[in-house]
């Protein structure tokens, strides 16, 4: 049991470190940096950041009912026609979703961890909280990698994501 706790702690610490790298990468960017794309048909740096924020709010609020209305409003940040956000807004969105997710996780009982929801699309038939957490970790890593690659293509310095 202690080994499982240590592994879980290490996973969450790694995710926290990655959250900090995302913030360090986004915070100094100007509007033109946020609009940069690796290719014309791919999301811009800012759109990728908005997508990370929106996915966190979607899974935690819309699916699991966690967080309040301000948290819920972040789930629309990557809807078609959503306005572009400044680096400052993106950092606040990353921080707000991070706090909201971890407040929820800290409050879950053993019974809460057993709750499931019906899956859709590429998700499994029954979605668990563990699946949602892993999905968001891999989602952050994937789209954070896109941010890193795009900034690198355009010779914009950023921490290694």
């Amino acid at each position: 049991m202690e080994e499982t706790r240590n592994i879980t702690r290490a996973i969450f610490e790694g995710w926290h470190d990655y959250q900090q790298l995302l913030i360090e990468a986004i915070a100094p960017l100007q509007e033109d940096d946020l609009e940069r794309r690796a290719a014309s048909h791919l999301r811009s740096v800012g759109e990728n950041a908005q997508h990370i924020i929106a996915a966190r709010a979607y899974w935690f609020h819309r699916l699991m009912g966690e967080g309040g209305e301000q948290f819920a409003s972040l789930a629309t940040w990557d809807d078609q026609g959503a306005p572009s956000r400044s680096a400052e807004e993106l950092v606040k969105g990353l921080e707000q979703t991070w706090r909201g997710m971890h407040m929820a996780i800290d409050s879950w009982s053993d019974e809460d961890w057993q709750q499931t929801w019906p899956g859709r699309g590429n998700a499994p038939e029954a979605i668990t909280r563990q699946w949602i957490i892993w999905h968001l970790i891999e989602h952050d890593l994937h789209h954070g990698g896109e941010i890193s690659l795009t900034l690198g293509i355009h010779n914009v310095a950023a921490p290694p994501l």
Side-chain angles (χ1 to χ4, degrees):
M1 186 68 152
E2 184 61 31
E3 183 178 341
T4 300
R5 277 194 219 115
N6 289 337
I7 291 168
T8 302
R9 188 175 306 115
I11 290 168
F12 278 108
E13 286 173 6
W15 193 15
H16 178 265
D17 292 346
Y18 197 77
Q19 159 80 359
Q20 293 311 117
L21 290 172
L22 281 170
I23 288 170
E24 288 175 31
I26 297 296
L29 299 180
Q30 301 300 312
E31 184 178 340
D32 60 326
D33 296 323
L34 293 171
E35 293 173 356
R36 294 183 189 277
R37 299 172 186 277
S40 61
H41 65 285
L42 298 176
R43 286 186 183 104
S44 69
V45 169
E47 288 167 343
N48 270 303
Q50 287 180 224
H51 181 66
I52 289 169
I53 293 162
R56 291 172 173 187
Y58 169 83
W59 287 103
F60 268 76
H61 184 78
R62 287 199 182 158
L63 184 69
M64 295 188 291
E66 300 287 355
E69 289 308 308
Q70 187 177 19
F71 188 86
S73 69
L74 299 172
T76 65
W77 276 27
D78 73 341
D79 286 357
Q80 190 160 352
S84 297
R85 307 291 174 160
S86 68
E88 182 180 354
E89 290 173 301
L90 294 171
V91 166
K92 285 180 183 177
L94 288 166
E95 291 172 340
Q96 186 176 349
T97 54
W98 187 257
R99 280 190 309 274
M101 290 187 307
H102 285 277
M103 284 175 50
I105 291 166
D106 289 345
S107 74
W108 293 342
S109 67
D110 289 341
E111 292 82 28
D112 291 332
W113 280 100
Q114 302 308 312
Q115 184 176 358
T116 63
W117 294 265
R120 296 186 298 234
N122 294 331
E125 191 172 307
I127 298 172
T128 63
R129 292 176 195 265
Q130 294 91 332
W131 184 89
I132 292 167
I133 300 287
W134 172 246
H135 178 66
L136 287 171
I137 291 170
E138 69 180 348
H139 189 265
D140 281 10
L141 293 171
H142 175 83
H143 293 293
E146 287 183 289
I147 290 169
S148 179
L149 178 69
T150 303
L151 292 173
I153 287 170
H154 294 285
N155 294 315
V156 178
L161 292 171

